[in-house]
Amino acid sequence: MATIRDIAKLAGVSVTTVSRVLNNHPYVSDKKKEAVLKVIEEINYKRNIHAVHLSKGFSNLIGVVLPKIDHPYFSSIVEGISEEAIKHHLQLVLFQTNYEPAKELEALELLRGTLLDGVIFCSRAISFDVLKEYKNAGPIVLCEDSDQSHFPSLSIPHEQAFQFGLDYLISKGHTKIAFTLGRMEGPNSKKRRKAYKTKMKELGEPIRSEWIFDKCLSITDGKQLMEKLQHLEKKPTAFFVTNDQVAAGILLSAEQYKIKIPQDIAILSFDNQPIADIMGITTIEIPIRKMGKLAVQSIIHCKEKREQTNKKMTLPFRLIERKTV
Amino acid sequence: MATIRDIAKLAGVSVTTVSRVLNNHPYVSDKKKEAVLKVIEEINYKRNIHAVHLSKGFSNLIGVVLPKIDHPYFSSIVEGISEEAIKHHLQLVLFQTNYEPAKELEALELLRGTLLDGVIFCSRAISFDVLKEYKNAGPIVLCEDSDQSHFPSLSIPHEQAFQFGLDYLISKGHTKIAFTLGRMEGPNSKKRRKAYKTKMKELGEPIRSEWIFDKCLSITDGKQLMEKLQHLEKKPTAFFVTNDQVAAGILLSAEQYKIKIPQDIAILSFDNQPIADIMGITTIEIPIRKMGKLAVQSIIHCKEKREQTNKKMTLPFRLIERKTV
DNA sequence: TTGTATGCGTTATCAG
DNA sequence: CTGATAACGCATACAA
């Protein structure tokens, strides 16, 4: 492989001049610049990026940590991240973790090893205490509704949004409300549970643990939910679900159980993905792509200012009324 | 940041010994090894990965090129790739291209610049001639039904599969068959078109260009298709569509047009994603995740043997009969 | 405007 | 088993 030294020799200049040309620095005479460019073209030179990284001390690579890329919520975030990253000439390194802490740590270790200029956690399983150990490893941003003040975070206000949704269901006459969560112990789920508890207390309704369904993320989970519903002694009149996928699963299997929506059961979900539009699902929109973009901007901000921010960024949500409530 | 030199000094050994310990080389006395490990632990040393990469000449990073991550087909491939990559301690660098050649070239340039140890094209827009220029840059694998013999490729036999699907529709009494494609000029689409042409000729049916729909990829595209169908003078009795998403879109909007499936129109699609199961879509299964896994294995093979293979790998497909034909 | 010399942090070579 | 030293390829103070 040819190096800048080879180029320098062939073009009759110094390596510095070659480097300057390569990096579009000023103070290079047109003549020499041309000579260098010519040689580069001739021998089809490409610079060794590892050497650039080592020398500069950074890489333009950022890590994206998520449990599963094959889910609309996460692939939407990544799409947002990707769009913004391209603008800033950043490359994305994907960490599909299945919520295994070891995999999440891998990303953090690479951050510390300076392979990554920053890490975006779309969701996480590792504890806060572990995360804090990497506080100084580089920029980290969390896409979750977080109360901590160590890392920047990015989310809709889940508690408020969930309360808002409950109020909407209540305004439609529902008091018997069941709900689903993606991951019971996830930060966002905790907020949702809290909102539920508060609101049920207000209503004077009991908290029925059998009306809280964990690990509901996919369209398949929604379908299975309908089966579980059959075995419920006391049935709710409304379902407030994790996301549009779950809602879609419910809708698609409602017919076989002779359940009419919204007459028998109302469905309210989160996200507002295309499927919600097509199936007429009433949902609370989350600006998922926007979250991705802001996450990248946050990383860049930390990188440029060389400072660790811990800004909590709250994004707006809004109700999209359609036909399931 | 601490370096191995610091460690060496603190532990009273040479940098070589430190390096040996770091890389689990033999021929290090337990005593020195322990001393080194102790210092490493104490100062919380992490090695600089750029330096490792520069020194070793490779990076354990592979590029994944795709138009859009937010589509079940592509996120499934990536999931397969990811699963296999983890086993081999490879990290994935994502290139979301929107089929812009410049973005695809970026991945290839990084391959040439040795940042990437290999590149997997899940789909591509650049021409073959351009691609060939990177033949020697490193391992490249194509997830497409390809006739070329320069790069390894990985796909179901699209022409055969499409013929098979047509035969199935024909066996069910259909001869008026329309179809959709993701990208008219994509390699896989070309095969499908070819199969269609052949089969229609056999049947003595004319090729109606208005029965061929391009750019159908998403659930939304499927929905729009139903609207377009209304304006067709002569209507088909069956639709053979790009993937399950399109099929789902059709099914979900059929009702509003008072179209019964399969009575009025039969639907056959590709992929066999979860939504096909839930909606009862008859589909031709493509082992998408498997493709991702094999792609990684192919890259690794090239890397290890230091040889460019050009093996064309053909994966099996199979019909999943459900309720739409 | 140009070039020399040195640093970036690790691994590999080879002599001991 | 151990260590000095030379790569790896580029960027950049500093000197000219």
Side-chain angles (χ1 to χ4, degrees), chain B residues 4-5 19 45 47 55:
Chain B
I4 52 172
R5 261 178 275 270
S19 180
Y45 163 83
R47 63 178 140 186
S55 188

Side-chain angles (χ1 to χ4, degrees), chain A residues 137-197:
Chain A
I140 294 175
V141 54
L142 271 26
C143 296
E144 63 184 47
D145 189 355
S146 176
D147 292 325
Q148 50 74 40
S149 58
H150 296 277
F151 300 98
S153 68
L154 207 53
S155 173
I156 64 162
H158 276 277
E159 187 175 348
Q160 198 181 321
F162 205 81
Q163 279 206 28
F164 176 86
L166 287 172
D167 281 335
Y168 175 66
L169 289 171
I170 293 165
S171 78
K172 294 287 183 178
H174 297 283
T175 54
K176 312 295 179 197
I177 304 170
F179 72 108
T180 75
L181 296 170
R183 206 167 38 113
M184 193 70 94
E185 295 307 322
N188 300 346
S189 294
K190 280 186 183 167
K191 299 277 184 175
R192 292 183 180 183
R193 278 160 60 198
K194 190 173 168 205
Y196 183 78
K197 205 170 159 188

Side-chain angles (χ1 to χ4, degrees), chain B residues 25-62:
Chain B
H25 275 292
Y27 307 135
V28 182
S29 68
D30 286 349
K31 199 172 150 192
K32 296 214 171 187
K33 186 170 181 175
E34 215 169 294
V36 169
L37 252 20
K38 184 153 167 272
V39 174
I40 286 178
E41 171 78 14
E42 272 173 18
I43 66 174
N44 195 13
Y45 163 83
K46 293 294 160 188
R47 63 178 140 186
N48 182 310
I49 299 171
H50 300 308
V52 177
H53 290 340
L54 174 59
S55 188
K56 291 211 175 197
F58 62 84
S59 63
N60 289 326
L61 251 36
I62 61 177

Side-chain angles (χ1 to χ4, degrees), chain A residues 68-72 75 94 96, chain B residues 64 66 68-84 92 122 143 244-245 271-275 286-293:
Chain A
K68 212 167 160 17
I69 185 67
D70 189 14
H71 187 283
S75 55
L94 207 66
Q96 181 169 274
Chain B
V64 178
L66 43 75
K68 211 166 160 20
I69 185 66
D70 188 15
H71 186 284
Y73 177 81
F74 293 112
S75 53
S76 291
I77 293 193
V78 173
E79 186 143 328
I81 291 174
S82 178
E83 277 172 24
E84 189 67 19
L92 266 35
C122 298
C143 295
D244 298 326
Q245 304 301 305
D271 286 5
N272 195 30
Q273 296 269 11
I275 198 168
I286 298 178
I288 305 178
R289 276 174 184 70
K290 182 86 184 170
M291 274 174 59
K293 287 190 181 184

Side-chain angles (χ1 to χ4, degrees), chain B residues 14-228:
Chain B
S14 73
V15 290
T16 310
T17 301
V18 178
S19 180
R20 286 207 176 98
V21 173
L22 248 22
N23 294 287
N24 284 315
H25 275 292
Y27 307 135
V28 182
S29 68
D30 286 349
K31 199 172 150 192
K32 296 214 171 187
K33 186 170 181 175
E34 215 169 294
V36 169
L37 252 20
K38 184 153 167 272
V39 174
I40 286 178
E41 171 78 14
E42 272 173 18
I43 66 174
N44 195 13
Y45 163 83
K46 293 294 160 188
R47 63 178 140 186
N48 182 310
I49 299 171
H50 300 308
V52 177
H53 290 340
L54 174 59
S55 188
K56 291 211 175 197
F58 62 84
S59 63
N60 289 326
L61 251 36
I62 61 177
V64 178
V65 177
L66 43 75
K68 211 166 160 20
I69 185 66
D70 188 15
H71 186 284
Y73 177 81
F74 293 112
S75 53
S76 291
I77 293 193
V78 173
E79 186 143 328
I81 291 174
S82 178
E83 277 172 24
E84 189 67 19
I86 284 169
K87 284 187 206 162
H88 303 276
H89 300 286
L90 294 172
Q91 305 297 341
L92 266 35
V93 181
L94 206 67
F95 295 83
Q96 180 168 274
T97 65
N98 283 311
Y99 284 127
E100 285 173 36
K103 305 244 174 66
E104 298 184 8
L105 281 171
E106 212 170 310
L108 291 168
E109 285 297 335
L110 289 177
L111 178 66
R112 179 132 68 190
T114 71
L115 176 68
L116 303 176
D117 289 351
V119 173
I120 297 171
F121 276 85
C122 298
S123 187
R124 69 179 161 93
I126 53 168
S127 74
F128 221 86
D129 289 337
V130 174
L131 201 55
K132 265 192 288 189
E133 290 174 24
Y134 293 86
K135 172 77 177 156
N136 296 315
I140 294 174
V141 54
L142 273 23
C143 295
E144 62 184 46
D145 188 356
S146 176
D147 291 325
Q148 51 74 40
S149 57
H150 296 276
F151 301 98
S153 67
L154 209 51
S155 172
I156 64 162
H158 276 277
E159 187 176 346
Q160 199 182 321
F162 205 81
Q163 280 203 28
F164 176 85
L166 288 172
D167 280 336
Y168 175 66
L169 289 170
I170 293 165
S171 79
K172 294 288 181 177
H174 298 281
T175 53
K176 312 295 179 195
I177 304 169
F179 71 107
T180 75
L181 296 170
R183 207 166 40 111
M184 191 71 94
E185 295 307 324
N188 300 347
S189 294
K190 280 187 183 166
K191 298 277 184 177
R192 292 183 180 184
R193 277 159 61 198
K194 191 174 168 206
Y196 183 76
K197 207 172 156 187
T198 308
K199 196 54 75 176
M200 288 305 114
K201 206 168 182 179
E202 260 180 58
L203 280 178
E205 287 285 333
I207 308 286
R208 298 170 217 262
S209 62
E210 70 275 19
W211 280 12
I212 307 174
F213 298 86
D214 193 18
K215 293 179 188 153
C216 286
L217 275 165
S218 69
I219 201 167
T220 308
D221 296 330
K223 188 180 179 185
Q224 287 166 358
L225 199 63
M226 286 310 267
E227 200 191 314
K228 287 181 193 157

